[in-house]
Amino acid sequence: MAGEQLKPVATGLLLLNFCMYIIVAAIGGWALNKAINHGFVIGPDLVLPAHFAPIYFPMGNAATGFFVVFALIASVVGGASAIAGFQHIRTWDADSLPSAASIAIVAWTLTLLAMGLACKEMEKHIRNARLKTMEAFLIILSATQLFYIFAIHGASTIRRRI
């Protein structure tokens, strides 16, 4: 069957995406932990600074807080997408396709949002090596997640024609 030819492609992309989403979640978790540890305590006699931002990260620029938060959300949804994708690849039938495809599309759109914030962070220039790694992974994930969606949809389209 022609749809079976796309199964190894979808499997490879799914494994690649899953590993990359885990790495993005780990780096994002590190950044969030560092931001929490280096935040300041607001006591009864302490006033807020003039330009206080509730999403403040000491290791980047003004876009880092939003970038890390949305990257974490995208990586968690991407991990859920991988779990649904593993189930779909295991069964490889039309019954499991809608759930795998819908969560994959949601993960892709959130990844695109995080990638847009990564581009904004790159424009601001001040960032460390870990944030650069997370930016690169999200840019790559925005493409590989789209190719994964095409692979699972292409297989179902081929199957319907036959």
Side-chain angles (χ1 to χ4, degrees), residues 24-110:
V24 167
I27 296 171
W30 164 83
L32 188 63
N33 184 44
K34 187 170 180 182
I36 290 170
N37 287 341
H38 292 346
F40 62 93
V41 178
I42 301 173
D45 57 342
L46 185 65
V47 294
L48 291 175
H51 300 289
F52 174 73
I55 303 178
Y56 171 72
F57 284 74
M59 78 299 250
N61 53 44
T64 302
F66 297 104
F67 167 62
V68 170
V69 169
F70 281 102
L72 280 170
I73 293 170
S75 63
V76 169
V77 175
S81 167
I83 292 169
F86 285 132
Q87 175 64 24
H88 172 62
I89 287 175
R90 191 174 64 83
T91 59
W92 201 251
D93 60 359
D95 293 335
S96 63
L97 177 65
S99 62
S102 62
I103 191 74
I105 291 170
V106 170
W108 177 64
T109 56
L110 287 170

Side-chain angles (χ1 to χ4, degrees), residues 82-141:
I83 292 169
F86 285 132
Q87 175 64 24
H88 172 62
I89 287 175
R90 191 174 64 83
T91 59
W92 201 251
D93 60 359
D95 293 335
S96 63
L97 177 65
S99 62
S102 62
I103 191 74
I105 291 170
V106 170
W108 177 64
T109 56
L110 287 170
T111 304
L112 284 179
L113 178 61
M115 184 199 69
L117 290 166
C119 292
K120 185 64 174 176
E121 186 176 12
M122 284 186 265
E123 180 185 311
K124 298 271 185 192
H125 297 295
I126 303 170
R127 58 201 199 280
N128 66 14
R130 289 182 183 158
L131 292 175
K132 289 178 184 179
T133 302
M134 198 160 71
E135 293 164 2
F137 273 41
L138 282 168
I139 291 168
I140 294 167
L141 273 167

